[in-house]
Amino acid sequence: MKTQEILSRYAAGQRDFRNINLIAANLRSVNLSGANLSGADLRGANLTGANLSHVNLTQATLTGANLTLTNLTSANLSAIDLSNVNLSNAYLNDAIMPNQISST
């Protein structure tokens, strides 16, 4: 799916983008807050400055992605490999991180 198409669908209220292919997509400074990107392929994607707060990224592939200055507040990053992902100055408040144990 092309970047413009996902942004149009998001603007129309769609939030379910499970297993979407966004390899090397330029998503710089986009707002996808609250979207479901579980299983998405975001290898090499540029998400610099994007708003991904409250996004579900469970089992997404982020190898080589740039998440510099990305808002990941309350995002679900469980079951993903964050090695080779640029998280410089990313906002990770209340994010669920890989291998994080939740207490009930």
Side-chain angles (χ1 to χ4, degrees), residues 11-56:
Q14 183 176 346
R15 297 296 182 267
D16 190 355
F17 299 103
R18 285 178 283 188
N19 301 312
I20 193 169
N21 180 345
L22 291 168
I23 295 173
N26 183 5
L27 298 167
R28 185 180 184 102
S29 301
V30 300
N31 178 15
L32 293 174
S33 179
N36 182 356
L37 295 170
S38 60
D41 193 342
L42 292 156
R43 287 178 287 168
N46 181 2
L47 294 151
T48 302
N51 181 0
L52 300 181
S53 61
H54 304 279
V55 166
N56 182 359

Side-chain angles (χ1 to χ4, degrees), residues 40-96:
D41 193 342
L42 292 156
R43 287 178 287 168
N46 181 2
L47 294 151
T48 302
N51 181 0
L52 300 181
S53 61
H54 304 279
V55 166
N56 182 359
L57 285 163
T58 304
Q59 297 181 337
T61 304
L62 293 166
T63 306
N66 186 352
L67 280 79
T68 301
L69 295 170
T70 300
N71 182 355
L72 292 162
T73 301
S74 298
N76 186 344
L77 303 169
S78 60
I80 63 172
D81 181 3
L82 290 175
S83 58
N84 298 314
V85 176
N86 186 348
L87 288 165
S88 299
N89 298 309
Y91 303 94
L92 295 164
N93 296 354
D94 298 320
I96 299 170

